[in-house]
Amino acid sequence: MKVKMLSRNPDNYVRETKLDLQRVPRNYDPTLHPFEVPREYVRALNATKLERVFAKPFLASLDGHRDGVNCLAKHPKSLATVLSGACDGEVRIWNLTKQKCIRAIQAHEGFVRGMCTRFCGTSFFTVGDDKTVKQWKMDAPAYGEEEEPLHTILGKTVYTGIDHHWKEAVFATCGQQVDIWDEQRTSPICSMTWGFDSISSVKFNPIETFLLGSCASDRNIVLYDMRQSTPLKKVILDMRTNTICWNPMEAFIFTAANEDYNLYTFDMRALDTPVVVHKDHVSAVLDVDYSPTGKEFVSASFDKSIRIFPVDKSRSREVYHTKRMQHVICVKWTSDSKYIMCGSDEMNIRLWKANASEKLGVLTSREKAAKDYNQKLKEKFRHHPHIKRIARHRHLPKSIYSQIQEQRIMKEARRRKEINRLKHSKPGSVPVVSEKKKHVVAVVK
Amino acid sequence: MSTNQAVESLLALSQQEDLVDLPKDYPLSASEDEGDSDGERKHQKLLEAISSLGGKNRQKLAERSEASLKVSEFNVSSEGLGEKLVLADLLEPVKTSSSLATVRKHLNRVKSKKTVEVPLNKEEVERIHREVAFNKTSHVLSKWDPIILKNRQAEQLVFPLEKEQPAFAPIEHMLSGWKARSPLEQEIFNLLHKNKQPVTDPLLNPVEKASLKAMSLEEAKMRRAELQRARALQSYYEARTRREKKIKSKKYHRVMKKAKGKQALKEFEQLQKVNPTAALEELEKIEKARMMERMSLKHQNSGKWAKSKAIMAKYDLEARKAMQEQLAKNKELTQRLQVASESEEEEGGTEVEELLVPDAVNEAQMNAEEPNPWMLRSCTSDAKEAGIQEDAEQLPELLDHNVSESEGDERPVAEEEILLKEFEERRSLRKRSKLNQDAESVGSQETKDSISQEVLFELRTLSQKLKENHQSGKQKASSVGTFPQVQREEPVPEEEESLLLQRPERVQTLEELEELEKEECFQNKELPSPILEGHWLKKNPNNQTDAPKKKKKEQMIDLQNLLTTKSPSVKSLAVPTTIEELEDEAETDQKQMIKEAFAGDDVIRDFLKEKREAMEASKPQDVDLTLPGWGEWGGMGLKPSAKKRCQFLIKAPEGPPRKDKNLPNVIISEKRNIHAAAHQVRALPYPFTHHQQFERTIQTPIGSTWNTQRAFQKLTTPKIVTKAGHTIKPIKAEDVGYRSSARSDLSVIQRNPKRLSAHHKKQLKKNSID
């Protein structure tokens, strides 16, 4: 007797190769998959928790400098190359993949004040306390060659900063005035001044390349037009601005790192009100750099931490610190927008992930899908209190934490006083100044 | 702009200064103070004469001829010292002599010339320059606005923005600037040379070079894929047509034909809108087809089949029907196409509209002329109904469906009629009252106005009601399983809202009715509740039932606000009144008015009722576990025995006392679940404007459990995508389609070296001297 048995053709359920996708019939009837919101909520909660668990942003520390790191520069072409200048006049070139110094040059006597690479990546410029501007080759000298600069320009005064044009053989230095140099000449082709105080930093606009922004120690930010060789406008803030950085995706937006613990994002066409005031640092902000996507920027502060701000938010999304990291002097966001480098007082350059919990290396497509899904879930449920609380939680060193508390009290007291003054004075006699406008002293045409 | 103005103003200022300067000079020329100066001169002379008497100077006096009136032999006369030379004096003699005409002309020209303006001071000039430059720059920058906006709002941005081409540098280029220096390198090169390997020669042969230059692999692949696709499509199409041709079913072909005809008609309509000339041609074609149809014997009931049917028609109903169909088809096909009637649906829509709003408004005017406009109205509605039925007849295939629809339509029509009757009655009442008023001759302008307003208002509200009824009827007919929420959310007509806003508050002439209307408005109005209760909890039936209650509560609060805080003016109820004070007349007036306005509704009783209901609802329910028919007979008209019921009824334990037990004027809801509340969003997050929006976003799942793969991918696209290991360059004008400036910045500077600052020039000079 033949016994009939249930049997299946293995072709229907066995994959021939691992690349074959099995067709999985699926019924999307919502009644079969109930509780969609609670289930997604739990998934979002788990994703948020995992994000915090995997948030290990610190990657490496590059040590080798014998004094505080004063300036950093990115290589425009090679992602693995980074340049740094120290307070003892030494310039080092690093390979990030090997995490090793590949070249060290004694470039200046005294500080290396500023550093920039040429847009093609073949050479770089340094300025130092010894009143010189030096141009160096990016490649190491060949066998038997001396390590010496391509060009040296001896100036009259100390240069405090340098930046290279994004397309042409032109660079700008600042000091007593903003000078614009042709690479071929030893004297500036144009120099612009407005006011008498020394200028601490100058930056070319990466999009409209003829625009320059500078900040001086008399609390102002001055914009220049290189083509018309004239300053354009000046905005005076409450305190000194240390440096500015242009948004690489939005031509007229720049952010200024200020001594009053804040960063100000300006639209250069309307300088009287900053677009956003970014607050979170508890000490002077020393450096700022935009992510190449133009959506975020990173700031380095004297309070021994670096923070990442979204461009349109006034509060930071992330704060990085380690026990050994001292005052952070310079910071850069790498041009693949994945990493952040910061140079600090205690002679180290640190490499961080821009996204703290990101998994490094190649992701499989399923990993990628899961990552995207989790990201969307976190975004969707970000207003829910538990998720919000977990996502916002950060550890801070005690010094910063206590400072934040202290400043909160101070701020609250100030606010209260203001309100009281407003309340007890004749209506209209005490003007209500918005937080944004409060910090702008004047705009000079 | 502003800079130009500044320049102008400066110019004007300098001119003014010139004008001020001129008159200062002129009067000096005139010898006004002649006498004064004479006296002085005499005095001077005297002094000099005296001093000359002194001795030594006497010899020095010499005779001199002077061009003055009085020539003193002792001294140079100082006469004419104060006078100034005026051009006119010089010109006087010139006028007479014609030989000096040219000189005169010159002089005249000199006279007419203005003085050159004083140049602006340096700071001013620089400021103006800066302003102009700033305006120019900001104008240049504003071209980025649309792009930046687009990027900010983009769903997804993929970086790097531009596709970078991998640059192939041939080896010889690399080698040209490089020499073997280190011993190892030198050794290698020596070896290479010895073996006569190519070092600096191009390592690629010409064929390889050509292949590099030719079409890239990707392009070729794409092209091949395209061709393949086109071929495949063609073959599919061929196969399909062949298959279709083979189908024998007549019905299929008939259906196909019909579908094609419909499609053609649709296209024709489309064409009519887009391209009238082409449509005309098409029309001609259709006309021709019609002619053909008319000529042919098709559908004329003259074929073999038709004849047989005609015989059968006497006995067979179906045969008759088929014949009629045939004839109807003929009629349809031979009907002349009318271009004017765009689409019947639209007409129908407008008809409804007309029925609803404008007619109702117009009737106020019409009622004077015609005795009973409602007849007309009902006629139209009847006609409409008839039209629907006609439609139903025309489309026999969709008969069933249409029947249901017409049923659905009938109901609202009936409701309309009822409402209309109501309205008529009211109108007649009002007419009577109006007549009375006329008789009493009280009708001042104000009241008239108010009455007319009232009429209008009532008309409008009535039409609104009609509309609502219509809508609700439709909803009932069409959607059976809709949520009660949906009905709750009936959109408040905008018209009414705007009307509300326009009205000034508490105008004295307003009537009670309008006040009532106001209340209605409030009832309709949805108040956005700031608190978001649980999103998924809302699905529970309990929550659904208590939602409207909550709303009512809010209404209550509003009404009380309206009544003002001193409100318990309606003393009908046993509510402890506040201590009575002496009140102003105005206040009493106000009170009186409010009393009048709200005479109809008992706010407080309503509230108490509300509270009682809330208390009832919050009481724990008994659980009845009796199973009818279990252990005894069951069925129609039989109830489980009292004993059983007693046995299986589980009495709910008495809950904790209500919090508002001792608060007569308060309802405290105890619905809020504290445990759930910890997970709930308390305030409406920023970009959302209404809590429903937010809830909707939360309620749509994005996981692959609930969505298809494609939808899942689409829902989870990340906002920013970057490629690992690729540098992201700043955005460029060329990337986004703008033309970047042709001249380089450097060349522009070098072309105008005008503004090396003075300070810098000095420096340069110093350098050169050194």
Side-chain angles (χ1 to χ4, degrees):
Chain A
M1 196 184 112
K2 196 183 173 189
V3 178
K4 280 186 184 171
M5 288 181 67
L6 266 180
S7 68
R8 286 200 292 163
N9 185 0
D11 287 350
N12 288 338
Y13 58 90
V14 175
R15 295 203 280 189
E16 279 178 15
T17 69
K18 66 169 186 179
L19 300 173
D20 277 349
L21 275 183
Q22 210 67 41
R23 187 183 165 79
V24 182
R26 211 180 145 62
N27 193 347
Y28 289 106
D29 184 2
T31 53
L32 297 179
H33 308 285
F35 300 116
E36 60 266 25
V37 182
R39 281 163 81 185
E40 288 214 318
Y41 174 75
V42 171
R43 283 181 198 177
L45 194 65
N46 288 341
T48 321
K49 283 176 185 170
L50 285 181
E51 183 204 304
R52 285 338 298 159
V53 168
F54 290 124
K56 305 257 183 262
F58 181 68
L59 285 178
S61 162
L62 311 175
D63 56 339
H65 274 299
R66 284 174 291 250
D67 207 337
V69 181
N70 200 38
C71 50
L72 282 171
K74 293 183 276 192
H75 194 285
K77 291 280 160 74
S78 151
L79 282 172
T81 314
V82 111
L83 299 90
S84 65
C87 295
D88 58 353
E90 190 185 40
V91 169
R92 277 175 184 261
I93 302 176
W94 306 84
N95 187 332
L96 287 181
T97 44
K98 292 177 193 158
Q99 299 173 10
K100 265 185 188 167
C101 176
I102 48 176
R103 199 171 152 209
I105 314 162
Q106 188 59 42
H108 295 278
E109 285 161 27
F111 283 45
V112 181
R113 285 286 171 191
M115 196 151 74
C116 67
T117 49
R118 204 166 180 275
F119 57 93
C120 59
T122 52
S123 62
F124 64 93
F125 296 82
T126 56
V127 291
D129 270 356
D130 50 0
K131 301 181 187 173
T132 52
V133 181
K134 289 181 180 173
Q135 186 183 8
W136 305 83
K137 254 184 148 176
M138 192 65 83
D139 304 326
Y143 182 78
E145 259 181 38
E146 282 285 304
E147 181 83 85
E148 57 185 12
L150 285 174
H151 301 290
T152 306
I153 301 165
L154 246 166
K156 290 265 168 200
T157 55
V158 175
Y159 299 109
T160 52
I162 187 168
D163 196 23
H164 200 279
H165 194 278
W166 287 80
K167 282 174 189 161
E168 282 151 41
V170 174
F171 65 91
T173 59
C174 60
Q176 281 190 354
Q177 74 273 351
V178 171
D179 289 327
I180 292 175
W181 307 70
D182 187 347
E183 276 179 15
Q184 309 300 323
R185 303 187 186 184
T186 51
S187 59
I189 48 176
C190 164
S191 72
M192 299 173 281
T193 47
W194 190 0
F196 302 100
D197 259 307
S198 70
I199 296 157
S200 60
S201 124
V202 65
K203 290 281 165 69
F204 271 102
N205 188 326
I207 306 167
E208 293 296 345
T209 48
F210 57 90
L211 278 174
L212 290 137
S214 76
C215 42
S217 53
D218 55 352
R219 304 182 301 165
N220 57 30
I221 302 168
V222 188
L223 301 172
Y224 302 94
D225 187 332
M226 190 181 99
R227 290 180 158 191
Q228 302 176 60
S229 47
T230 166
L232 297 175
K233 227 172 204 186
K234 175 156 88 169
V235 57
I236 304 172
L237 296 176
D238 261 345
M239 289 178 85
R240 189 181 104 112
T241 301
N242 282 317
T243 184
I244 68 163
C245 185
W246 293 93
N247 191 327
M249 290 292 149
E250 302 180 356
F252 42 77
I253 300 285
F254 68 88
T255 298
N258 204 289
E259 284 278 320
D260 63 357
Y261 314 167
N262 298 339
L263 292 119
Y264 301 96
T265 297
F266 281 99
D267 181 339
M268 72 152 280
R269 296 168 301 173
L271 288 171
D272 50 346
T273 331
V275 183
V276 190
V277 180
H278 308 273
K279 298 181 159 184
D280 251 354
H281 280 297
V282 288
S283 190
V285 189
L286 297 181
D287 199 8
V288 59
D289 192 37
Y290 262 94
S291 142
T293 59
K295 298 283 175 196
E296 288 174 327
F297 62 81
V298 60
S299 62
S301 168
F302 197 74
D303 63 10
K304 307 177 187 174
S305 70
I306 59 178
R307 281 181 187 268
I308 301 173
F309 290 86
V311 173
D312 50 351
K313 296 269 161 37
S314 63
R315 293 286 167 179
S316 62
R317 148 178 99 73
E318 196 69 79
V319 55
Y320 293 160
H321 58 86
T322 61
K323 253 183 193 169
R324 298 186 179 186
M325 188 161 75
Q326 295 303 309
H327 313 305
V328 193
I329 297 170
C330 49
V331 71
K332 281 272 181 271
W333 201 309
T334 58
S335 42
D336 59 349
S337 95
K338 282 261 190 309
Y339 306 102
I340 289 166
M341 291 166 305
C342 66
S344 46
D345 249 0
E346 86 310 319
M347 308 178 243
N348 282 320
I349 297 162
R350 289 194 168 74
L351 189 65
W352 307 84
K353 284 191 274 188
N355 200 352
S357 60
E358 193 180 35
K359 190 187 169 197
L360 294 181
V362 182
L363 295 180
T364 65
S365 60
R366 290 176 63 175
E367 271 177 318
K368 218 178 276 172
K371 190 194 79 184
D372 291 345
Y373 179 43
N374 283 342
Q375 191 58 43
K376 267 281 138 72
L377 280 179
K378 278 183 266 177
E379 217 167 276
K380 183 179 161 186
F381 288 98
R382 69 179 184 281
H383 301 294
H384 288 254
H386 278 212
I387 290 176
K388 200 183 192 175
R389 188 179 59 81
I390 295 167
R392 282 174 58 208
H393 181 80
R394 295 286 181 284
H395 171 257
L396 279 179
K398 201 181 173 194
S399 59
I400 296 180
Y401 181 78
S402 55
Q403 281 237 293
I404 287 174
Q405 301 304 325
E406 196 176 305
Q407 276 170 24
R408 184 183 296 153
I409 292 164
M410 283 160 69
K411 199 181 150 200
E412 183 55 32
R414 235 173 279 144
R415 198 183 65 88
R416 201 167 49 233
K417 183 164 188 182
E418 209 165 279
I419 287 171
N420 284 343
R421 183 174 293 149
L422 198 69
K423 218 189 281 172
H424 297 291
S425 56
K426 201 175 118 193
S429 62
V430 177
V432 182
V433 186
S434 70
E435 183 60 34
K436 278 182 187 173
K437 290 207 173 175
K438 212 175 268 177
H439 304 283
V440 177
V441 174
V443 177
V444 186
K445 281 178 185 173
Chain B
M1 294 282 284
S2 62
T3 50
N4 288 342
Q5 281 172 2
V7 171
E8 278 171 14
S9 67
L10 279 168
L11 280 177
L13 216 144
S14 60
Q15 276 176 352
Q16 266 185 356
E17 278 175 3
D18 288 350
L19 285 176
V20 171
D21 284 348
L22 277 174
K24 269 184 197 167
D25 298 339
Y26 279 117
L28 281 177
S29 62
S31 49
E32 280 178 352
D33 36 15
E34 192 84 350
D36 215 21
S37 62
D38 257 12
E40 248 177 52
R41 225 177 287 146
K42 275 173 188 168
H43 182 68
Q44 193 103 28
K45 267 184 201 163
L46 188 69
L47 283 178
E48 278 165 10
I50 290 164
S51 64
S52 67
L53 288 177
K56 287 177 188 172
N57 286 353
R58 193 179 267 179
Q59 286 85 16
K60 280 183 185 174
L61 288 173
E63 268 189 53
R64 280 175 65 178
S65 65
E66 288 287 331
S68 65
L69 298 173
K70 284 184 185 173
V71 179
S72 155
E73 48 185 327
F74 304 114
N75 203 359
V76 180
S77 82
S78 62
E79 202 170 348
L81 197 70
E83 289 171 11
K84 210 174 183 183
L85 194 63
V86 182
L87 195 61
D89 292 346
L90 286 175
L91 283 179
E92 258 172 32
V94 175
K95 269 179 196 166
T96 52
S97 64
S98 58
S99 60
L100 293 171
T102 54
V103 176
R104 199 168 60 201
K105 221 180 259 171
H106 277 297
L107 283 170
N108 273 334
R109 205 179 294 155
V110 165
K111 211 172 160 189
S112 67
K113 232 175 212 171
K114 275 181 189 170
T115 49
V116 181
E117 297 151 16
V118 181
L120 292 172
N121 62 347
K122 200 179 145 201
E123 271 111 58
E124 285 287 343
V125 171
E126 276 183 358
R127 198 173 63 82
I128 288 162
H129 273 302
R130 282 197 299 259
E131 234 164 290
V132 170
F134 180 78
N135 286 343
K136 217 170 164 184
T137 314
S138 49
H139 180 72
V140 168
L141 285 175
S142 59
K143 81 173 178 194
W144 287 97
D145 270 331
I147 286 156
I148 286 169
L149 197 70
K150 201 189 87 193
N151 280 353
R152 278 180 188 171
Q153 291 170 343
E155 291 280 297
Q156 187 177 40
L157 281 176
V158 181
F159 294 103
L161 291 174
E162 88 275 31
K163 291 261 165 31
E164 46 185 282
Q165 296 287 332
F168 291 114
I171 277 186
E172 61 268 26
H173 281 228
M174 302 294 285
L175 283 175
S176 62
W178 186 75
K179 273 182 192 171
R181 284 211 180 78
S182 71
L184 180 67
E185 285 164 0
Q186 274 164 357
E187 217 168 290
I188 289 166
F189 269 75
N190 278 337
L191 272 175
L192 283 175
H193 281 298
K194 266 180 200 167
N195 296 326
K196 291 181 182 170
Q197 288 287 332
V199 178
T200 50
D201 291 337
L203 291 177
L204 294 172
N205 55 21
V207 180
E208 282 171 332
K209 260 194 171 175
S211 73
L212 265 183
K213 269 184 192 170
M215 195 187 285
S216 74
L217 186 65
E218 250 176 52
E219 258 178 79
K221 268 186 183 167
M222 261 170 62
R223 175 110 182 92
R224 199 183 62 175
E226 254 173 40
L227 280 175
Q228 268 178 349
R229 201 156 154 268
R231 234 177 291 139
L233 279 178
Q234 198 183 355
S235 73
Y236 291 158
Y237 186 71
E238 275 170 10
R240 210 181 79 186
T241 44
R242 216 172 290 138
R243 215 178 332 112
E244 276 175 2
K245 209 180 164 190
K246 267 187 193 170
I247 293 172
K248 282 181 185 166
S249 161
K250 274 185 183 170
K251 193 175 178 186
Y252 168 78
H253 283 292
R254 214 181 298 144
V255 168
M256 282 302 288
K257 216 174 175 183
K258 214 172 200 176
K260 264 180 200 167
K262 264 184 191 168
Q263 184 68 27
L265 201 70
K266 214 179 245 173
E267 273 168 16
F268 172 68
E269 267 172 21
Q270 195 70 29
L271 205 65
Q272 219 171 12
K273 278 173 200 162
V274 179
N275 192 359
T277 55
L280 219 63
E281 280 174 23
E282 201 79 349
L283 197 70
E284 264 172 26
K285 264 187 211 166
I286 289 168
E287 188 64 30
K288 207 170 185 183
R290 192 181 69 87
M291 272 148 74
M292 294 291 279
E293 176 67 26
R294 285 188 64 181
M295 281 197 294
S296 79
L297 291 174
K298 239 179 177 180
H299 305 119
Q300 305 269 27
N301 278 2
S302 56
K304 208 190 271 176
W305 172 84
K307 273 172 187 165
S308 73
K309 286 281 166 193
I311 293 163
M312 291 297 288
K314 282 179 196 169
Y315 316 106
D316 195 356
L317 203 74
E318 269 184 33
R320 217 180 295 164
K321 213 175 182 180
M323 273 180 70
Q324 273 168 2
E325 248 173 60
Q326 185 91 338
L327 280 174
K329 183 138 202 197
N330 182 34
K331 217 173 195 179
E332 195 189 315
L333 285 173
T334 52
Q335 213 170 27
R336 200 175 273 278
L337 204 71
Q338 284 167 344
V339 190
S341 67
E342 290 273 8
S343 62
E344 286 186 299
E345 286 176 354
E346 231 175 76
E347 227 175 313
T350 52
E351 201 178 51
V352 171
E353 285 274 316
E354 278 171 37
L355 276 178
L356 288 177
V357 192
D359 263 16
V361 177
N362 289 340
E363 248 136 46
Q365 300 167 347
M366 265 157 59
N367 57 12
E369 300 161 13
E370 282 184 310
N372 193 357
W374 299 112
M375 291 304 288
L376 198 143
R377 179 73 176 281
S378 63
C379 274
T380 52
S381 65
D382 281 351
K384 185 188 144 203
E385 238 178 334
I388 288 166
Q389 275 162 9
E390 268 177 17
D391 282 349
E393 277 170 13
Q394 272 184 358
L395 303 166
E397 295 163 8
L398 301 168
L399 202 74
D400 294 13
H401 183 67
N402 250 9
V403 165
S404 70
E405 237 179 63
S406 63
E407 271 178 7
D409 279 1
E410 269 171 17
R411 217 169 9 173
V413 169
E415 281 172 358
E416 273 174 26
E417 275 176 6
I418 291 164
L419 273 169
L420 287 176
K421 268 179 194 167
E422 259 182 42
F423 177 67
E424 206 172 8
E425 277 170 18
R426 271 199 222 177
R427 199 156 47 85
S428 61
L429 263 172
R430 203 174 304 115
K431 251 185 190 173
R432 238 174 284 154
S433 68
K434 205 175 183 182
L435 279 172
N436 288 342
Q437 276 183 349
D438 282 344
E440 287 164 14
S441 70
V442 184
S444 67
Q445 193 64 34
E446 271 188 10
T447 51
K448 257 188 196 170
D449 277 355
S450 72
I451 282 164
S452 63
Q453 252 187 13
E454 196 184 89
V455 169
L456 266 175
F457 189 80
E458 205 166 65
L459 279 168
R460 213 164 289 161
T461 48
L462 226 119
S463 66
Q464 221 75 79
K465 266 187 194 167
L466 272 176
K467 244 189 216 171
E468 278 173 13
N469 275 336
H470 205 71
Q471 278 175 2
S472 65
K474 264 187 191 166
Q475 274 182 358
K476 274 173 205 163
S478 61
S479 61
V480 184
T482 47
F483 286 48
Q485 263 187 331
V486 179
Q487 285 175 353
R488 197 151 49 86
E489 284 167 15
E490 267 184 15
V492 181
E494 290 176 4
E495 202 184 335
E496 197 162 82
E497 274 189 1
S498 64
L499 202 83
L500 247 183
L501 286 172
Q502 281 164 14
R503 206 162 44 187
E505 282 186 6
R506 290 179 197 169
V507 179
Q508 303 232 336
T509 54
L510 284 184
E511 301 290 323
E512 278 179 49
L513 241 176
E514 289 197 45
E515 288 289 342
L516 283 172
E517 293 299 341
K518 213 186 214 171
E519 272 178 36
E520 273 182 22
C521 293
F522 273 114
Q523 275 172 6
N524 285 337
K525 207 170 167 184
E526 274 201 0
L527 293 163
S529 67
I531 297 165
L532 288 167
E533 291 294 341
H535 326 290
W536 56 81
L537 289 180
K538 266 218 168 151
K539 286 201 166 170
N540 296 348
N542 284 344
N543 275 27
Q544 273 183 12
T545 50
D546 75 38
K549 255 178 219 165
K550 202 169 133 201
K551 198 169 283 170
K552 270 184 196 167
K553 239 179 277 165
E554 282 163 359
Q555 284 163 22
M556 293 310 300
I557 291 160
D558 255 40
L559 281 176
Q560 284 196 332
N561 284 344
L562 255 182
L563 279 171
T564 69
T565 46
K566 290 186 178 180
S567 73
S569 57
V570 186
K571 294 173 189 171
S572 58
L573 283 172
V575 176
T577 49
T578 52
I579 304 160
E580 284 195 8
E581 295 170 13
L582 287 171
E583 285 167 352
D584 296 339
E585 271 198 354
E587 226 169 306
T588 52
D589 261 15
Q590 181 82 355
K591 243 183 165 180
Q592 191 68 28
M593 231 171 58
I594 289 163
K595 217 179 201 174
E596 271 176 26
F598 292 98
D601 39 55
D602 246 340
V603 180
I604 287 153
R605 186 184 291 159
D606 282 353
F607 176 77
L608 287 177
K609 199 177 155 197
E610 192 86 24
K611 192 175 175 183
R612 215 175 302 128
E613 273 169 12
M615 279 166 78
E616 287 294 321
S618 71
K619 259 186 194 163
Q621 303 275 316
D622 296 349
V623 185
D624 194 2
L625 291 176
T626 47
L627 290 170
W630 191 257
E632 55 192 7
W633 287 106
M636 287 279 282
L638 284 176
K639 273 185 188 172
S641 65
K643 190 185 147 199
K644 276 266 157 76
R645 262 185 284 159
C646 223
Q647 192 182 346
F648 288 107
L649 188 77
I650 297 170
K651 283 222 167 175
E654 193 80 0
R658 279 183 70 87
K659 279 178 193 165
D660 53 4
K661 201 173 71 177
N662 298 323
L663 302 169
N665 301 335
V666 181
I667 299 176
I668 298 175
S669 169
E670 289 166 12
K671 279 273 156 55
R672 193 158 179 267
N673 186 352
I674 305 162
H675 302 293
H679 293 273
Q680 285 167 357
V681 180
R682 269 172 220 109
L684 192 66
Y686 158 61
F688 301 100
T689 50
H690 198 270
H691 67 93
Q692 277 170 353
Q693 263 181 359
F694 178 64
E695 278 167 23
R696 228 171 288 144
T697 57
I698 293 291
Q699 268 164 9
T700 47
I702 51 174
S704 56
T705 321
W706 299 275
N707 295 298
T708 57
Q709 192 59 28
R710 184 65 62 80
F712 172 68
Q713 274 170 4
K714 217 173 243 177
L715 283 170
T716 57
T717 44
K719 273 215 160 160
I720 290 174
V721 178
T722 54
K723 255 184 173 176
H726 285 248
T727 51
I728 300 166
K729 301 243 170 67
I731 199 166
K732 277 181 209 152
E734 301 97 81
D735 289 350
V736 290
Y738 286 137
R739 203 164 46 81
S740 61
S741 59
R743 286 180 298 168
S744 70
D745 299 342
L746 185 61
S747 67
V748 172
I749 302 184
Q750 281 165 351
R751 199 163 295 173
N752 55 346
K754 53 181 180 183
R755 263 173 252 128
L756 282 178
S757 64
H759 165 75
H760 187 68
K761 270 180 196 161
K762 260 184 226 162
Q763 261 196 352
L764 281 181
K765 261 182 200 169
K766 263 187 205 166
N767 283 347
S768 63
I769 289 161
D770 290 344

